[in-house]
Amino acid sequence: MGFKIAVLPGDGIGPEVVKEAVSVLQAVAPGFEYEEALIGGAAYDEVGHPLPAATLALCKRADAILLGAVGGPKWDHVQPVEMRPEVGALLPLRSELNLYANLRPARIFSALKEASPLKEPEIDLIVVRELTGGIYFGKPRERREGGDVAVDTCVYSKAEIRRIAIRGFEIARQRRKSLVSVDKANVLETSRLWREVVAEVAGDFPDVKLEFMLVDNCAMQLVRNPGAFDVILTENMFGDILSDEAAQITGSLGMLPSASLSDNKGLYEPAHGSAPDIAGQGIANPLATILSAAMMLKYSFGMDAEAATVEGAVEKTLADGVRTRDLGGEASTSEMGSAVVSRLYL
Ligand code: NAD
């Protein structure tokens, strides 16, 4: 139980929501060791770099990382661009730690159904997005000086596809055993390779139902019948877009957790940003970060029972009508956090 957790509060509401998530972890799984470090604009201001060497070293030493959020208007124009919080901290952290699998669950808690823009929302899905390959990392990329042509290259190897596909199938096996692999195989060569490898991996998971779907169709089906999805497996850019679409149909940005995993480490953070418009007011919703901590218990430490305890406490808290401002209530960040802690063992 002596796991070490790197705590990176970051900017804006990051420190406020991370504090509540740590309280929940301390209550449900005593005995973890926590070490805090600077990241993002806060780190840039203090030591001149958004991802200080000491922070990266801590992340490498730690068993798991809990991150708040980085960025804000104060650092939007920092030069060079590599010193801006998102570019200089998040991207290098992902690549340095080889966090190739991004998990973005989108779920509607029954007490919050009215928040969804859909009429009869039954949503409990997870997007498994490849995070370190594809068009975001392909070279060469080029914009001819003063010219009309720009080039980005989408590259995937079989090994990159195989490891994310295995993750997707393993997760599907723990859920409702249904996986939709999303691509654009009618147009893209990388998508045809993607299909080939996913079909191969499927052979090792005969208990999981596999369906291939084109990304444009998936975007439509997510709005039309989101309840039909269990696990959506996809590459980097499609996953970026589809996970935000899935987030939007739940209607509550303050509720959505995420995990980014390597083979032996995980970084856990809310799907939302640093919300500078409400930072420092004590009104941010900490549930996305608390649910990210629950993902840490499950995916980094195999503590499925404790993860379910946290999710159950969140559910009870909402059912009892406790709401932060974004959910139409009056509860403060710390009141929401305490409400969850007090319901852990009810
Ligand atoms: P945002 O997610 O920070 O905020 C969007 C809106 O949602 C705001 O009105 C905000 O008040 C609200 N909101 C977000 N989280 C909330 C919460 N927990 N409780 C209540 N309300 C919440 O997105 P943005 O405004 O586009 O970005 C703000 C900054 O965050 C930018 O600098 C952006 O680059 C950065 N950002 C960081 C990350 C990250 O650290 N992973 C992710 C996205 C954006």
Side-chain angles (χ1 to χ4, degrees):
M1 289 282 277
F3 295 117
K4 186 181 184 75
I5 299 172
V7 179
L8 313 180
D11 304 317
I13 61 170
E16 301 166 48
V17 292
V18 161
K19 182 165 175 273
E20 301 310 319
V22 170
S23 299
V24 170
L25 281 175
Q26 283 169 330
V28 76
F32 292 167
E33 190 193 332
Y34 299 88
E35 191 173 332
E36 204 170 300
L38 289 165
I39 195 165
Y44 179 79
D45 287 350
E46 187 102 359
V47 298
H49 197 287
L51 182 63
T55 301
L56 184 58
L58 169 65
C59 292
K60 288 185 172 170
R61 276 198 319 275
D63 297 298
I65 301 148
L66 182 67
L67 174 72
V70 300
K74 186 175 175 197
W75 305 283
D76 278 352
H77 304 288
V78 166
Q79 289 292 350
V81 173
E82 293 72 37
M83 287 294 125
R84 291 186 197 162
E86 295 87 337
V87 183
L90 293 184
L91 296 183
L93 202 51
R94 283 175 193 169
S95 56
E96 283 283 338
L97 301 177
N98 199 18
L99 302 170
Y100 64 84
N102 182 230
L103 316 187
R104 286 271 302 263
R107 162 179 181 201
I108 293 202
F109 287 85
S110 37
L112 292 181
K113 281 193 173 161
E114 76 278 4
S116 170
L118 304 181
K119 259 189 250 131
E120 287 178 36
E122 283 299 337
I123 306 166
D124 184 2
L125 61 86
I126 182 164
V127 179
V128 177
R129 166 189 171 196
E130 201 289 327
L131 198 61
T132 53
I135 203 158
Y136 292 7
F137 289 84
K139 294 195 170 97
R141 41 186 71 216
E142 190 186 339
R143 174 82 183 258
R144 290 191 198 130
E145 201 72 22
D148 297 335
V149 178
V151 181
D152 294 289
T153 318
C154 186
V155 183
Y156 268 111
S157 69
K158 281 189 168 183
E160 283 174 317
I161 301 169
R162 189 172 294 111
R163 65 182 182 178
I164 188 76
I166 291 171
R167 280 285 178 150
F169 278 99
E170 283 171 353
I171 289 167
R173 189 171 255 175
Q174 292 164 14
R175 293 172 49 101
R176 301 193 303 277
K177 299 188 171 48
S178 160
L179 182 143
V180 175
S181 175
V182 175
D183 59 45
K184 190 72 181 166
N186 52 344
V187 177
L188 300 177
E189 202 53 50
T190 41
S191 285
R192 287 190 277 272
L193 184 68
W194 183 277
R195 275 200 189 199
E196 197 182 305
V197 177
V198 170
E200 260 170 47
V201 172
D204 293 332
F205 296 86
D207 51 324
V208 176
K209 183 174 147 279
L210 166 67
E211 185 186 342
F212 290 106
M213 193 178 279
L214 296 175
V215 63
D216 39 350
N217 186 22
C218 182
M220 279 196 294
Q221 298 305 329
L222 265 176
V223 177
R224 218 158 135 187
N225 188 15
F229 291 98
D230 179 12
V231 176
I232 295 176
L233 169 69
T234 193
E235 59 95 59
N236 205 342
M237 185 161 73
F238 297 156
D240 189 8
I241 299 165
L242 294 176
S243 58
D244 271 7
E245 185 186 356
Q248 202 53 48
I249 55 179
T250 70
S252 320
L253 189 55
M255 298 290 305
L256 295 162
S258 83
S260 302
L261 309 177
S262 70
D263 285 333
N264 54 17
K265 205 181 290 284
L267 178 146
Y268 301 85
E269 60 178 321
H272 60 71
S274 59
D277 52 334
I278 57 164
Q281 298 178 35
I283 57 170
N285 182 351
L287 293 182
T289 316
I290 290 171
L291 291 167
S292 303
M295 291 185 84
M296 175 190 291
L297 293 167
K298 184 180 168 86
Y299 290 106
S300 277
F301 306 141
M303 298 170 74
D304 291 24
E306 287 83 351
T309 299
V310 174
E311 286 172 5
V314 168
E315 199 133 18
K316 283 191 208 102
T317 301
L318 293 169
D320 288 346
V322 184
R323 302 274 192 283
T324 40
R325 283 250 291 264
D326 56 308
L327 302 176
E330 293 291 324
S332 68
T333 308
S334 60
E335 283 164 355
M336 187 60 126
S338 307
V340 173
V341 170
S342 68
R343 284 164 180 79
L344 284 170
Y345 297 109
L346 280 186

